[in-house]
Amino acid sequence: MALRTALTALVLLALPATIQARDQLTIGLTQYPSTLHPSIETMAAKSYVHGFTLRPITTYDADWQLTCMLCTHLPTIEGGDAVRETAPNGNPGIRVTYRLRENARWGDGTPITADDIVFAWEAGREPATGMGPAELYRSLHRIVVVDPRTVTLHFGKLTFQYNAINDLRPLPAHLDRAIWQEDPRAYRTRTLYDREPTRPGLWSGPYRIAALQTGASVTLERNENWWGDAPAFRRIVIRTIENTTALEAALLAGQIDMIAGELGLTLDQAIALERRAGQRFRIHYQPGLIYEHIDLNLDNPALADARVREALLRGIDRRQIVERLFDNRQPVAHSFVNPLDWMHDDTLPVTPFDPDGARRLLEEAGWRPGPDGIRRNAAGERLSLELMTTAGNRSRELVQQVLQGMWRQIGVDIRIRNEPPRVFFGETVSKRRFQAMALFAWISSPENVPRTILHSTEIPTEERNWSGQNYTGFRNQEMDDLIENLPLTLDREERRPMWRRVQEIYMTERPVLPLFFRSDAHVWPRWLEGVRPTGHLAPSSMWVEQWKVTQ
């Protein structure tokens, strides 16, 4: 027996260290979540963490197909578990029945039931809670609990996405309902997801949160009550390194094993890394529905003038930015609709780089050059605008500097002020506290109707507890009507002209300055396989049980 033990030890010592000790994976990200609640605020860092720790009822997979995660199968009209009906308001509606997986449990062993869906719906329907997206809760006017594992959802609208309930995230009623009932308005700051996030019963994925260092790291451990395939790693540590140069240095020093493409290196950094150290890592470039842009605060008097907004866009040489900073690997954006999505319309006229035209527009708007070259209005006020983004993101900071120089050529002064992502997204953008311009990215799902970002009812206000993502304050009645009618049009070809008009209004009114569509650079160790970037809103971490260690 002693000899066998000794021989075993010698064999283990002879194995590569990479195989012996691969029970932990350390991942680098550039952002830390501002909240961990599934339905309060939207942030890519939170989505990435939730990919490991929570399971939605439905989602889009890496092939861009709608699929079940918590449900047993996807209900359809053809299959009989989605049935058209007349809604209480007299409009065409639909009732859709979902059956939850029998073995689905929260991390404390409590079954995930219909009651958790009902609680999420109750909290979302209450405006004081400040959960989004509000339209989902407005349309879902009734839930019938068939049995503890089966619910029938009654929607007041029949839409082409009738069975996609990706945003209806079950909440653990046995833990959080009483807190919400006590004070719905205060719930967003009192939820256990933020006060006691290591409670196992909050989590339903292969991993649960075991420890946190606010702003620095999230430590995940296997969920003992996980009901699916066992994940490869005992522990996953997600480290936040907000400076992308420091993130790359940590990778090269072996302090982290991989960098998540969803929130990782900039494209130019990844290209340079591949040239220098490509033999050590697998680098995958994933184009996707990731729209880098600048939100304009339309309450700013200067930006309220459409001529100023057009001038700013004409003053940007987006082609030069893409060529010089990103090796021409990211397409210029002219609207929020990506060429990868079927409804993209490349026949619409685009706004060119035209500095002379930009100067003429500013003259027409009453902004004339001052002695320092910066334009002033009749009151003598300088055309000086603040441009904000996420601090530490080298790519965005480079883009800011390029924009600053380009806009100075047309007489616009740009003041750069950046914040850590959790402050920028958690407070400044979500509460519309940016003075003029906010540079960031939207990540969307396939054919995503832009209600939350463009409908006038989605402008965040204190009265609504800051729900909604129309951070620009854009109001356009025709756009509102199109957003209302698009989902109701079941035939895809009938939606095509509607999508064209949505893009046309967006490109004419310019509440946002489009920059480019981003490709994410995923950096993995060569011993890791099975990671499948999606190129859309659902992060690769949602399929972590497919990740494997190989050598």
Side-chain angles (χ1 to χ4, degrees):
M1 182 68 91
L3 178 61
R4 181 178 295 174
T5 303
L7 286 173
T8 302
L10 286 171
V11 170
L12 286 173
L13 287 171
L15 288 172
T18 51
I19 294 180
Q20 286 185 52
R22 293 259 161 81
D23 65 343
Q24 176 171 310
L25 179 70
T26 303
I27 305 171
L29 286 185
T30 57
Q31 294 180 13
Y32 187 88
S34 59
T35 175
L36 288 169
H37 192 283
S39 303
I40 295 174
E41 296 180 7
T42 302
M43 193 174 176
K46 182 178 72 171
S47 296
Y48 190 76
V49 172
H50 284 175
F52 298 108
T53 58
L54 286 173
R55 285 292 169 265
I57 301 172
T58 63
T59 193
Y60 287 99
D61 63 18
D63 297 317
W64 294 26
Q65 298 300 307
L66 188 66
T67 186
C68 266
M69 296 205 90
L70 272 179
C71 46
T72 57
H73 66 282
L74 202 63
T76 62
I77 293 173
E78 296 77 13
D81 35 23
V83 180
R84 299 170 190 253
E85 65 181 11
T86 301
N89 58 10
N91 293 333
I94 191 166
R95 64 177 185 269
V96 190
T97 300
Y98 293 85
R99 176 77 181 171
L100 297 177
R101 295 180 186 272
E102 293 292 337
N103 55 352
R105 297 180 179 277
W106 296 105
D108 59 3
T110 303
I112 300 174
T113 70
D115 197 37
D116 300 312
I117 297 174
V118 171
F119 168 44
W121 174 66
E122 290 172 341
R125 279 178 68 82
E126 170 53 60
T129 312
M131 281 168 44
E135 177 58 22
L136 168 67
Y137 302 110
R138 281 193 292 262
S139 178
L140 177 53
H141 62 86
R142 183 182 177 213
I143 295 182
V144 174
V145 176
V146 180
D147 62 48
R149 296 281 188 178
T150 309
V151 293
T152 297
L153 310 183
H154 293 259
F155 291 94
K157 297 178 180 179
L158 172 58
T159 74
F160 71 88
Q161 297 171 315
Y162 67 86
N163 55 1
I165 54 171
N166 307 5
D167 292 322
L168 183 59
R169 298 294 186 102
L171 296 174
H174 66 295
L175 295 179
D176 244 19
R177 176 181 264 150
I179 299 171
W180 172 75
Q181 288 175 331
E182 184 178 340
D183 188 347
R185 179 166 289 276
Y187 173 64
R188 64 186 295 139
T189 59
R190 298 181 63 243
T191 169
L192 292 179
Y193 280 102
D194 288 334
R195 288 196 296 136
E196 299 180 36
T198 58
R199 290 278 288 268
L202 298 171
W203 310 110
S204 62
Y207 291 89
R208 61 177 179 82
I209 291 180
L212 292 171
Q213 280 187 284
T214 303
S217 68
V218 179
T219 298
L220 312 176
E221 291 185 353
R222 284 180 183 145
N223 178 358
E224 297 84 353
N225 287 292
W226 165 239
W227 36 273
D229 294 337
F233 301 98
R234 178 175 58 87
R235 177 184 292 116
I236 293 178
V237 178
I238 303 171
R239 286 187 56 195
T240 298
I241 305 173
E242 293 179 342
N243 183 287
T244 54
T245 301
L247 181 68
E248 181 182 355
L251 178 75
L252 293 172
Q255 297 167 356
I256 57 176
D257 298 309
M258 65 177 277
I259 296 175
E262 288 87 348
L263 285 164
L265 295 181
T266 61
L267 193 65
D268 56 314
Q269 283 179 287
I271 293 168
L273 175 66
E274 188 172 25
R275 295 191 188 110
R276 297 195 318 271
Q279 72 283 357
R280 289 180 55 189
F281 305 102
R282 183 180 295 125
I283 300 179
H284 172 85
Y285 300 97
Q286 180 68 40
L289 305 179
I290 309 161
Y291 170 48
E292 200 80 13
H293 67 281
I294 300 172
D295 264 17
L296 304 177
N297 189 332
L298 301 183
D299 293 338
N300 182 298
L303 297 175
D305 191 323
R307 294 169 296 186
V308 173
R309 301 198 296 271
E310 182 177 350
L312 289 170
L313 190 57
R314 287 182 179 272
I316 306 173
D317 191 345
R318 289 171 286 179
R319 175 58 56 195
Q320 183 186 102
I321 290 173
V322 166
E323 288 176 356
R324 292 191 177 182
L325 298 185
F326 307 115
D327 200 25
N328 226 9
R329 297 198 189 197
Q330 303 192 132
V332 167
H334 297 288
S335 84
F336 67 94
V337 179
N338 193 302
L340 296 172
D341 235 340
W342 72 268
M343 66 280 193
H344 172 76
D345 193 325
D346 58 8
T347 67
L348 288 166
V350 300
T351 301
F353 173 53
D354 177 17
D356 289 337
R359 294 184 189 101
R360 285 195 298 273
L361 284 165
L362 292 174
E363 291 279 345
E364 290 175 14
W367 296 97
R368 292 177 172 75
D372 58 356
I374 301 302
R375 294 178 180 272
R376 287 168 167 77
N377 61 14
E381 299 168 326
R382 298 170 84 246
L383 186 49
S384 182
L385 302 171
E386 185 176 83
L387 174 60
M388 301 185 67
T389 193
T390 50
N393 185 305
R394 192 177 80 170
S395 172
R396 286 178 178 157
E397 289 172 345
L398 285 172
V399 169
Q400 280 181 312
Q401 293 168 24
V402 172
L403 292 173
Q404 188 179 47
M406 289 178 175
W407 281 331
R408 188 169 186 86
Q409 296 301 311
I410 62 171
V412 180
D413 175 55
I414 296 298
R415 294 173 285 107
I416 293 174
R417 184 172 72 86
N418 298 333
E419 293 177 335
R422 64 186 181 279
V423 178
F424 180 70
F425 291 116
E427 291 290 329
T428 303
V429 173
S430 63
K431 296 181 179 178
R432 301 191 67 228
R433 290 175 177 167
F434 59 102
Q435 181 265 337
M437 298 189 281
L439 166 60
F440 62 100
W442 284 123
I443 307 173
S444 63
S445 53
E447 195 178 359
N448 186 50
V449 177
R451 168 177 284 274
T452 62
I453 63 172
L454 292 176
H455 199 284
S456 62
T457 61
E458 297 292 335
I459 300 171
T461 63
E462 187 172 5
E463 291 71 30
R464 297 184 60 207
N465 213 354
W466 306 109
S467 65
Q469 297 172 312
N470 184 348
Y471 304 136
T472 65
F474 180 61
R475 295 174 175 85
N476 181 286
Q477 187 58 55
E478 185 182 1
M479 181 68 85
D480 285 356
D481 293 341
L482 284 164
I483 289 171
E484 294 286 351
N485 291 318
L486 254 174
L488 307 180
T489 308
L490 304 188
D491 183 87
R492 193 168 97 162
E493 287 308 307
E494 290 181 15
R495 294 198 298 274
R496 192 181 294 276
M498 301 169 72
W499 272 114
R500 177 185 171 85
R501 183 57 185 153
V502 165
Q503 294 169 74
E504 194 171 41
I505 294 171
Y506 187 87
M507 296 164 71
T508 303
E509 294 295 319
R510 298 179 183 85
V512 170
L513 304 181
L515 295 177
F516 49 84
F517 293 109
R518 211 172 70 202
S519 290
D520 282 340
H522 295 256
V523 184
W524 310 313
R526 292 202 168 270
W527 46 260
L528 180 65
E529 292 188 356
V531 184
R532 288 194 68 195
T534 67
H536 58 69
L537 193 59
S540 57
S541 54
M542 200 171 283
W543 293 271
V544 65
E545 60 268 39
Q546 299 174 13
W547 297 8
K548 304 298 179 188
V549 175
T550 61
Q551 195 66 306

